[in-house]
Amino acid sequence: MKKKIRIDEEMKKRWPAAAVGCFQYKVKVKKKNEDMWRYLKKDIFKKVKDDIFNYGISEIPNIKESRMAYKAFGKDPSRYRVSSEALVRRIGQGKGIYEVNTVVDTNNLISIQSGFSAGSYDAEKIGDELVFRVGREEEAYQGIGKDMVSVKALPVLADGEGAVGSSTSDSRRAMITEETKEVLTLIYCFSDNGSLEEALCYGKEYLEKYAGAEQLECWIVK
């Protein structure tokens, strides 16, 4: 069943450009796609280093607007980094990025290239009706490879049970494993520059080519 996603009115009031690019698809998750890693290291890492040289990390398009949105929501973007910025910083420092599985790795490729945070969720582990909103007071969840993560004032994806992910750090509840059969991948956008539509185009190509996505649907929520 296709997920229903909406953006909370309070979030739109604080940041009118907030939007979500959505992919929902069937998949057989595998450990690694060698072709994707070759492409990432040869082409995308070079683009990232050029962007850092040309702009400085905090001024890279889409990272810049995401940082501004975090401030509008009441979060310090230098302490709580949008995930795309965290990935770009690792590349700039020569640390590279972690290998997880074909879905998460392709998710990160989309995030690095676009400058937008992207999150992928096991569709069977989350509700059918979801809202993109600002995290509430005392709201927290078990992070992936972490203890409890406070998501107060962060942009979060939530279902009837509460927050399941954010544009900074996702929860264990809906993490992608090799047992996952259906995935919801979201691109969290805070820019009004047309680049979300572009990211949806190459994101679809990458998910099909590198993650083996099938029966893929994509749409934008504004």
Side-chain angles (χ1 to χ4, degrees):
M1 180 185 293
K2 182 177 174 181
K3 302 295 184 184
K4 295 179 181 176
I5 302 168
R6 65 179 178 86
I7 300 175
D8 182 67
E9 290 181 9
E10 180 61 28
M11 173 176 273
K12 291 294 281 188
K13 190 182 297 182
R14 294 200 209 179
W15 200 260
V20 185
C22 312
F23 303 96
Q24 189 167 337
Y25 51 95
K26 306 285 189 182
V27 72
K28 291 180 181 177
V29 182
K30 298 180 180 178
K31 189 171 180 67
K32 185 177 182 180
N33 184 300
E34 297 286 357
D35 288 341
M36 192 223 75
W37 280 97
R38 277 192 288 271
Y39 172 64
L40 183 68
K41 290 176 180 177
K42 182 177 179 235
D43 296 282
I44 302 303
F45 278 20
K46 180 182 184 303
K47 175 191 177 297
V48 166
K49 289 171 182 175
D50 287 346
D51 284 347
I52 293 171
F53 179 81
N54 291 331
Y55 297 102
I57 293 175
S58 62
E59 295 293 312
I60 291 174
N62 302 327
I63 290 178
K64 176 183 178 180
E65 290 83 355
S66 298
R67 289 175 60 91
M68 292 167 63
Y70 271 42
K71 289 179 182 177
F73 301 144
K75 211 70 172 176
D76 180 355
S78 295
R79 289 190 61 201
Y80 298 87
R81 299 196 194 282
V82 63
S83 62
S84 53
E85 180 183 348
L87 289 166
V88 165
R89 284 185 179 276
R90 285 190 62 85
I91 294 167
Q93 292 164 357
K95 295 178 180 177
I97 59 173
Y98 298 110
E99 296 178 8
V100 183
N101 57 51
T102 46
V103 169
V104 175
D105 296 347
T106 305
N107 175 103
N108 290 341
L109 167 61
I110 295 168
S111 182
I112 292 163
Q113 181 166 339
S114 67
F116 294 126
S117 171
S120 290
Y121 310 96
D122 188 322
E124 294 180 359
K125 304 287 179 64
I126 57 178
D128 292 328
E129 296 190 8
L130 301 154
V131 59
F132 188 41
R133 60 168 172 79
V134 179
R136 296 167 181 158
E137 191 79 29
E138 306 300 327
E139 195 164 23
Y141 51 59
Q142 182 78 41
I144 298 174
K146 301 175 182 176
D147 295 325
M148 294 301 289
V149 175
S150 170
V151 293
K152 173 188 173 184
L154 282 174
V156 300
L157 178 73
D159 62 9
E161 293 183 36
V164 70
S166 80
S167 48
T168 287
S169 177
D170 287 321
S171 74
R172 283 190 58 84
R173 172 155 68 101
M175 67 184 287
I176 304 298
T177 70
E178 291 187 31
E179 283 71 53
T180 299
K181 303 292 187 238
E182 186 171 4
V183 176
L184 180 71
T185 294
L186 302 181
I187 301 175
Y188 298 117
C189 171
F190 300 101
S191 307
D192 191 15
N193 57 14
S195 53
L196 177 58
E197 288 79 2
E198 182 185 357
L200 230 64
C201 288
Y202 58 72
K204 179 178 185 293
E205 177 189 346
Y206 292 161
L207 288 167
E208 290 175 337
K209 183 176 181 180
Y210 298 130
E214 298 179 343
Q215 301 174 44
L216 188 151
E217 294 184 79
C218 60
W219 69 101
I220 291 176
V221 177
K222 291 186 176 180

